[in-house]
Amino acid sequence: SLKSEAQCSSTPCPSSFSYLNTLKWRSTYRPFSVPPSLKSEASSGWLYTRSTTLPPRQPLIFYRPGLHRPESLESYIRNVIYNLERAAAVASQNAKDEKYLGGKG
């Protein structure tokens, strides 16, 4: 049986609980979507993701909080999560490319 969310805050949760809740959160929150509020929140370039060109070609997240005053907590959190998602996607794709090209990745 799955534990409740409150039980998992103090004891380890089974992986099935974590996996199912992650899927539920992703379908509800949609971290990959870019609503208009995110576009305006990201326009100053205070947080962005770039990939290095030299091996191992890992993504870098640049965080420059002095450039921006958050408009809303929701938009701020969405922007952080969106950039983490982008970095994870780039890292995953780079690992696949390295394997395809015969690299050590």
Side-chain angles (χ1 to χ4, degrees):
S1 68
L2 292 177
K3 295 182 179 183
S4 72
E5 192 172 328
Q7 291 173 315
C8 286
S9 63
S10 61
T11 61
C13 289
S15 59
S16 59
F17 177 84
S18 299
Y19 180 74
L20 292 173
N21 278 313
T22 298
L23 291 178
K24 180 181 172 185
W25 177 83
R26 290 182 68 77
S27 67
T28 304
Y29 192 74
R30 300 175 41 118
F32 45 83
S33 68
V34 183
S37 62
L38 180 62
K39 290 179 184 178
S40 67
E41 184 75 26
S43 64
S44 67
W46 64 275
L47 182 68
Y48 60 96
T49 304
R50 292 286 183 266
S51 183
T52 59
T53 56
L54 299 174
R57 295 179 24 213
Q58 294 301 311
L60 300 172
I61 298 175
F62 294 88
Y63 177 59
R64 306 181 307 169
L67 294 179
H68 181 68
R69 183 180 189 129
E71 297 169 12
S72 74
L73 182 59
E74 173 75 17
S75 296
Y76 181 88
I77 291 170
R78 274 194 170 276
N79 198 1
V80 171
I81 291 174
Y82 174 78
N83 277 278
L84 291 171
E85 289 277 325
R86 283 192 59 212
V90 167
S92 176
Q93 185 58 49
N94 287 348
K96 289 176 189 175
D97 291 348
E98 289 294 321
K99 286 181 182 177
Y100 177 76
L101 296 173
K104 294 180 183 178

